[in-house]
Amino acid sequence: MRTLLHDERLRPWLLLAPALTVVGVLAGGAIVQAAVRSVSPVRGSGETGLTLSAYRSLLADPELPRSLLLTLYLATTSTLLAVVLGIAAALALRQVAARSRWLTTVFQLPLPIPHVVGAVAVLALLGQSGLFSRIAGSAGLIDDAASFPALVFDPLAIGILAEYTWKEVPFVGIVALALLRSSRVTEQEAAARSLGAGPWQRLRHVTLPLVLPGVLSVAVIVFAFSFGAFEVPLLLGASFPETLPVMAFRRHTDISLAARPEALALSLLMAAVAVACVALAMRVARRTIREEGR
Amino acid sequence: MTAITLTSLTKRYGTITAVDDVDLTLPDGEITALLGPSGCGKTTTLKLIGGLLTPTAGTVAFDGIDQRDVRAEHRGAVMVFQDHLLFPYLSVGDNVAFGLRMRGVGARQRRRQAEEMLARVGLPDTADRHPDELSGGQRQRVALARALVVEPRVLLLDEPLASLDPHLRDGMRELILDIQREEQVTTVVVTHDQEEAAVLADRVAIMFDGRIAQVGTARELHDRPADAEVARFLGSPNLLPGVRSGRIVETAAGALEVPHGTAQDGPVLVTIRPEAIVVAPASGPNILAGRVRDARDLGARVQVTVAVGDTQLTLVTRPDALRALLPGSDVRIRLPADALWAMPAPDPAAELAFRQDVVEGVAPVDAGTRTQGAADADR
Amino acid sequence: MTATATPLPPAQPRRTATGRGRHLRDDTGRSWTARVVVTVVIAGILLPLVPLLLSSFARGYFHPQVVPETWSLRAWQIALGPGAATWSALVASVVVAGVVSLISLALGLPAGRALGLYRFRGRRVVEFLLLAPVLVPPIAIAIGLHGVFLRLGLTGSVTAVVLVHLVPVLPYVVLILAGAFANLDPAFEDQARSLGAGRLAVLWTVTLPSIAPGLVTAALFGFLVSWGQYALTLVIGGGRVVTLPILIFASASGGDTAVTSALALFATLPALAILLINAHAVRDRAAPLGGVR
């Protein structure tokens, strides 16, 4: 054991072993279980051996493509909103809030608040009996609550996007702010200024190229979150189409046992789509950043 | 109190051998310097002595007792690192008292001893300061105090002067010597600077590629290098290949009487320090006729390059000789026989590699022009 | 530990003969835009909390009232009364998040050390393997693990919820700690050992103090990620482990709006306290909560 512990090459692996084991057993276990059970016949169905019937009936469901589109729309839109607004907010905060730790702290306020709370708050703000509707009613713009435009449970999923934006802009923003305040960025900006670059030129050619790679890794997390979010669309989304996670949960809790393998199949599908999207986005983004750098 | 014996000491990382079969005895109460270029394994050796690394093979013994199973924290061999490494979240006093705290000494006693030791290194009334408030030289003194306060059996100093500005080095050097003289603690100093080794150490062990090349006093190494590599590292520019028969070595520059060094007939390498070469108008033994290639005024002295046939020799002389040594003028130089030293001829492959290094300007040519302060890469 | 850039003093352009005055004016112009943007952003962050406050203190809060006609503490009394489900949910949330955070630290310290201090072959693969579970939708993990835990008889237990919360929490904790270890010079540990510190003493007197900011961030981050979980708790807890998000969701989908608002606000309080403490504790050190690298 002594020699084993002193082998420098084995050392990091021994240190990593506990964490990797736990993550591997839990996440790996979940995926393996989903894979195995999704192709196992349901008890009492009379089928034996392996079956792809869960996948077949899942793919035959006309709701699936619409759910997939909705989920991808939400994930993409909210990621773009979070990145653009997050960077803008960070740039503004760097100018203004350097003196005030309070502004930065308030900016981070949504970070530790559970999404369930965010969803409840958005409902109380944008819902038909929400604050905006009340203001519109008091101002005589609408006759009653029902005539307030649907911002929640709506096809464009504005309520869901609002909640994601509220939570994720500070997340992206705080990382971008840390990058913006790093000496690496400020020194390069000063160098560009001394070379005669104006504020917009500095932003376009110096600041953004330096900050984007770091923001990208956060954007990946935002995308993965929005794609897999469950409670927010469940509270704020229309009943049709549902996002993929909601759809999976409905099948998981369906009274018909036959729906269980479909829930597992859908889980695997979601995992695959999420990882594929992230891989693709990172490739595209890396290439774009590299070309920008030229 | 403690003599250190290294026996076949070896440390390998994968395929790289950092310390290669080192046998060395470090006498009780003396200062020994481990001198060598970056990456030669000297700091690794220091850490092996201190127990911070475990040898791949071989042993470290204190007073004949194998330290294999004695952990670093129980060896009493305290290391002072190049970058002082004061804990930034502790005050200066708490830093100095750290080792005492680890030994279970009570708070009041710790405080008293720390203050005494700080006074001893010339920093009284600094115990409540933060390390950031001290200068680089003061921090290095605190680091030394922190090591000394636990009354170590062995003091291990890693480049103790390298991170200091030149004008601070003398003070630190005096401090180390004073304290060592009083405490008589066996001390090992790692350095890449031959002057530092010469001033601090009783004995110098010179290391290349994980091996000990030569052990001796600084004077012995300087005048009588064991081989070409040692001579070059110590900055000897004059290396003349030749063939010995009896007292005479036949070199490309001419026949020289070389009474010292390798006595065996056959190929040898002859060296002489630049300051030993005499500009000599007369004729006699070991006098060569050449032409001045270049003369550089270095202020306190003049460095002259003389071509004797195809051989170049470098000599150092007084500035008033400069006028007589214009480039292109003929000159006669004498290589005193007692200053010449013959070494075994290096194998041809190593020699070729070295010549290329010289062409590319990598190898050291003169002690004065070598870059100083290069950090030891094997830390 | 990046030093915060010193801001230019508030706009009072010095008109000097050099180009300096122009540069200052240049910044002043931008800072007005910046002030507008910051005001909008801060307003947008605080705005959703306003209707929660209004409705939680209202009685008979009928449309189109904006400011309630009658104020009342009724909703708060129901939400926080003795014997209200809120208190047991609070205990469940704190226990789960606390235990998850502690386990993640215990597992994350060695792993973070490996990733932060060692260069080894396969390091990038490990980082990917650690991050992959974060990318997978939690509901997929929950549905998959549901079957496993069912067979182990763990579903519906706090243990099962703690285990499943480790999936999203542990990777973040490891990565934050890896960032902290990357700034640690291991020579400090050698120095302590050389001065007589044993392994535990080195950990306690050198390693942990050196990575303290990262350690605090990791612990808080882990706590908060677990604190906000809904999907994992719902599926694995099977309705028997009721944390605050579970309680709020149940109340939101069919309960009293005022009480839901009160519950929602209550659930933000511990999180806000942590945020304030953290903002205070890690001041002048860049990247507090969001500092995942």
Side-chain angles (χ1 to χ4, degrees):
Chain A
M1 196 59 203
R2 189 183 160 85
T3 46
L4 200 65
L5 269 170
H6 280 100
D7 189 324
E8 293 292 320
R9 283 162 300 172
L10 269 178
R11 202 81 180 275
W13 294 102
L14 286 172
L15 292 168
L16 280 165
L20 279 182
T21 310
V22 168
V23 170
V25 165
L26 290 170
I31 297 295
V32 168
Q33 168 81 3
V36 171
R37 302 292 279 195
S38 67
V39 293
S40 307
V42 183
R43 229 176 299 149
S45 69
E47 286 181 288
T48 51
L50 299 182
T51 168
L52 288 175
S53 59
Y55 290 90
R56 239 176 271 126
S57 67
L58 186 67
L59 292 175
D61 190 335
E63 205 188 324
L64 183 72
R66 304 190 61 174
S67 288
L68 180 63
L69 274 181
L70 173 69
T71 312
L72 287 175
Y73 155 76
L74 278 173
T76 316
T77 314
S78 68
T79 306
L80 285 176
L81 280 171
V83 167
V84 172
L85 297 179
I87 291 178
L91 283 167
L93 272 170
R94 179 172 67 155
Q95 293 263 312
V96 176
R99 274 162 282 136
S100 159
R101 199 175 309 135
W102 276 107
L103 278 180
T104 321
T105 305
V106 173
F107 182 59
Q108 293 179 59
L109 183 82
L111 282 178
I113 296 180
H115 274 281
V116 172
V117 174
V120 168
V122 165
L123 198 58
L125 187 69
L126 301 182
Q128 288 194 313
S129 59
L131 189 67
F132 282 175
S133 166
R134 287 162 188 271
I135 292 172
S138 304
L141 295 173
I142 53 170
D143 295 332
D144 56 3
S147 51
F148 188 72
L151 298 177
V152 178
F153 317 125
D154 56 314
L156 278 178
I158 289 170
I160 300 175
L161 287 176
E163 201 282 336
Y164 289 173
T165 307
W166 185 69
K167 278 281 290 182
E168 305 302 350
V169 164
F171 183 43
V172 174
I174 213 71
V175 173
L177 189 60
L179 292 168
L180 283 174
R181 282 177 173 166
S182 69
S183 56
R184 194 174 68 97
V185 172
T186 51
E187 279 163 18
Q188 295 261 23
E189 286 175 330
R193 168 183 275 189
S194 75
L195 292 170
W200 288 108
Q201 288 173 311
R202 289 204 296 273
L203 182 67
R204 166 78 179 73
H205 296 289
V206 181
T207 316
L208 286 183
L210 284 173
V211 169
L212 275 180
V215 169
L216 178 70
S217 51
V218 185
V220 164
I221 292 170
V222 171
F223 181 91
F225 165 78
S226 316
F227 184 86
F230 168 67
E231 60 265 39
V232 180
L234 197 59
L235 259 181
L236 300 178
S239 52
F240 181 83
E242 295 172 320
T243 66
L244 290 179
V246 175
M247 191 178 177
F249 178 71
R250 293 240 192 269
R251 307 223 167 192
H252 175 69
T253 51
D254 199 302
I255 29 168
S256 151
L257 278 181
R260 282 282 174 97
E262 285 180 34
L264 292 160
L266 189 50
S267 293
L268 275 186
L269 184 74
M270 280 192 297
V273 172
V275 172
C277 282
V278 166
L280 186 73
M282 290 194 59
R283 263 185 87 123
V284 171
R286 285 234 175 89
R287 192 173 305 149
T288 317
I289 287 169
R290 218 177 299 137
E291 278 165 11
E292 283 288 309
R294 276 180 206 151
Chain B
M1 297 172 281
T2 305
I4 305 168
T5 318
L6 311 181
T7 313
S8 309
L9 193 64
T10 302
K11 179 68 180 175
R12 269 190 283 271
Y13 297 97
T15 54
I16 298 159
T17 305
V19 176
D20 192 0
D21 198 21
V22 163
D23 290 299
L24 188 62
T25 305
L26 303 116
D28 172 29
E30 279 195 13
I31 304 186
T32 306
L34 292 176
L35 174 67
S38 290
C40 74
K42 54 193 192 296
T43 301
T44 307
T45 308
L46 202 67
K47 288 186 175 176
L48 288 167
I49 296 172
L52 295 171
L53 292 173
T54 310
T56 313
T59 57
V60 174
F62 289 180
D63 289 333
I65 297 163
D66 189 352
Q67 300 289 303
R68 186 192 312 262
D69 295 320
V70 183
R71 286 181 172 175
E73 60 264 35
H74 298 132
R75 271 191 205 191
V78 178
M79 184 150 166
V80 178
F81 287 75
Q82 179 176 355
D83 305 317
H84 70 76
L85 296 182
L86 298 183
F87 303 119
Y89 40 84
L90 295 182
S91 70
V92 168
D94 287 343
N95 259 291
V96 175
F98 184 90
L100 298 173
R101 195 171 119 212
M102 293 302 125
R103 284 160 177 76
V105 178
R108 194 169 296 176
Q109 170 84 357
R110 289 204 302 258
R111 171 87 190 181
R112 197 176 52 73
Q113 279 184 260
E115 281 176 349
E116 275 173 22
M117 192 48 80
L118 278 168
R120 210 138 151 232
V121 299
L123 295 168
D125 307 319
T126 51
D128 292 321
R129 299 250 211 112
H130 188 268
D132 280 355
E133 298 170 48
L134 303 184
S135 71
Q138 290 174 325
R139 277 180 246 176
Q140 199 71 27
R141 282 164 185 261
V142 175
L144 188 64
R146 179 171 66 175
L148 288 168
V149 80
V150 300
E151 294 173 2
R153 297 176 76 180
V154 176
L155 190 58
L156 305 169
L157 306 175
D158 187 11
E159 302 272 5
L161 309 180
S163 65
L164 297 180
D165 288 340
H167 67 277
L168 294 173
R169 286 189 191 151
D170 288 346
M172 186 70 186
R173 187 155 45 205
E174 290 311 311
L175 181 66
I176 292 172
L177 286 172
D178 281 353
I179 285 177
Q180 207 278 337
R181 228 170 275 143
E182 282 172 44
E183 305 281 332
Q184 295 288 305
V185 53
T186 311
T187 303
V188 189
V189 180
V190 152
T191 177
H192 65 274
D193 184 313
Q194 52 168 313
E195 279 180 38
E196 195 173 310
V199 178
L200 280 175
D202 302 307
R203 296 194 326 144
V204 178
I206 189 161
M207 275 186 93
F208 296 113
D209 298 328
R211 292 172 166 276
I212 301 279
Q214 191 176 2
V215 185
T217 64
R219 172 56 54 198
E220 281 164 5
L221 265 59
H222 187 266
D223 291 347
R224 321 218 138 166
D227 56 33
E229 208 172 3
V230 174
R232 279 177 197 128
F233 182 77
L234 297 179
S236 175
N238 301 322
L239 293 169
L240 309 172
V243 178
R244 179 190 276 287
S245 65
R247 285 172 68 88
I248 303 298
V249 174
E250 198 69 47
T251 72
L256 296 170
E257 187 196 346
V258 185
H260 305 297
T262 304
Q264 207 166 0
D265 284 359
V268 292
L269 197 62
V270 177
T271 183
I272 182 165
R273 307 291 308 180
E275 57 273 16
I277 301 180
V278 185
V279 180
S283 59
N286 285 3
I287 287 190
L288 304 173
R291 173 162 293 163
V292 175
R293 286 282 300 272
D294 185 29
R296 287 188 202 171
D297 192 342
L298 302 178
R301 61 211 166 97
V302 174
Q303 180 183 304
V304 185
T305 314
V306 174
V308 181
D310 286 339
T311 309
Q312 293 210 4
L313 289 167
T314 300
L315 64 95
V316 170
T317 182
R318 299 211 324 273
D320 52 16
L322 191 60
R323 236 171 307 147
L325 295 168
L326 293 173
S329 58
D330 290 330
V331 68
R332 293 167 82 74
I333 54 174
R334 186 162 66 87
L335 313 184
D338 278 345
L340 284 165
W341 177 252
M343 298 172 290
D347 71 276
E351 189 57 19
L352 187 67
F354 173 72
R355 277 178 202 283
Q356 276 166 356
D357 282 352
V358 171
V359 171
E360 288 155 18
V362 179
V365 173
D366 178 85
T369 58
R370 256 182 318 120
T371 8
Q372 304 270 317
D376 198 1
D378 64 2
R379 270 193 59 223
Chain C
M1 295 271 187
T2 337
T4 315
T6 323
L8 286 169
Q12 276 177 2
R14 265 180 295 156
R15 312 268 172 196
T16 56
T18 66
R20 185 148 169 75
R22 207 184 78 83
H23 279 189
L24 276 175
R25 221 177 326 141
D26 193 53
D27 266 341
T28 317
R30 272 217 296 174
S31 94
W32 276 110
T33 337
R35 270 177 210 183
V36 173
V37 172
V38 168
T39 312
V40 170
V41 166
I42 297 297
I45 279 164
L46 294 176
L47 189 62
L49 298 178
V50 174
L52 290 185
L53 277 170
L54 291 175
S55 94
S56 74
F57 287 108
R59 166 159 243 160
Y61 188 33
F62 301 112
H63 200 268
Q65 290 176 19
V66 174
V67 178
E69 274 167 16
T70 330
W71 296 91
S72 160
L73 286 175
R74 184 194 59 93
W76 286 98
Q77 278 161 353
I78 295 173
L80 304 182
T86 317
W87 299 113
S88 58
L90 177 68
V91 170
S93 275
V94 169
V95 165
V96 169
V99 173
V100 165
S101 184
L102 282 180
I103 294 177
S104 297
L105 283 186
L107 299 171
L109 275 170
R113 186 183 181 90
L115 287 180
L117 283 182
Y118 289 80
R119 298 279 162 274
F120 56 97
R121 201 184 288 217
R123 197 164 158 270
R124 289 186 66 92
V125 178
V126 170
E127 283 177 339
F128 175 77
L129 284 179
L130 273 175
L131 261 182
V134 176
L135 303 180
V136 174
I139 198 83
I141 300 280
I143 290 175
L145 274 182
H146 181 77
V148 180
F149 284 175
L150 207 58
R151 234 177 295 161
L152 297 173
L154 278 174
T155 31
S157 68
V158 171
T159 314
V161 172
V162 165
L163 283 175
V164 78
H165 278 200
L166 286 174
V167 175
V169 171
L170 185 55
Y172 283 120
V173 168
V174 171
L175 292 181
I176 294 171
L177 289 175
F181 271 109
N183 290 327
L184 169 79
D185 182 353
F188 275 106
E189 295 176 334
D190 278 351
Q191 177 69 81
R193 283 171 65 199
S194 176
L195 288 166
R199 282 180 198 280
L200 264 179
V202 170
L203 181 71
W204 197 245
T205 58
V206 179
T207 315
L208 293 183
S210 299
I211 60 162
L215 201 66
V216 172
T217 306
L220 293 181
F221 203 90
F223 188 92
L224 291 172
V225 169
S226 168
W227 177 265
Q229 283 303 323
Y230 175 76
L232 294 174
T233 318
L234 178 73
V235 174
I236 297 300
R240 269 177 285 168
V241 180
V242 180
T243 56
L244 280 173
I246 300 279
L247 187 69
I248 294 166
F249 193 100
S251 174
S253 46
D256 183 326
T257 314
V259 175
T260 307
S261 297
L263 282 175
L265 285 173
F266 178 70
T268 65
L269 289 181
L272 293 189
I274 288 179
L275 180 65
L276 288 179
I277 294 165
N278 194 42
H280 186 71
V282 298
R283 64 175 150 202
D284 303 330
R285 298 192 186 107
L289 278 176
V292 194
R293 265 170 297 172

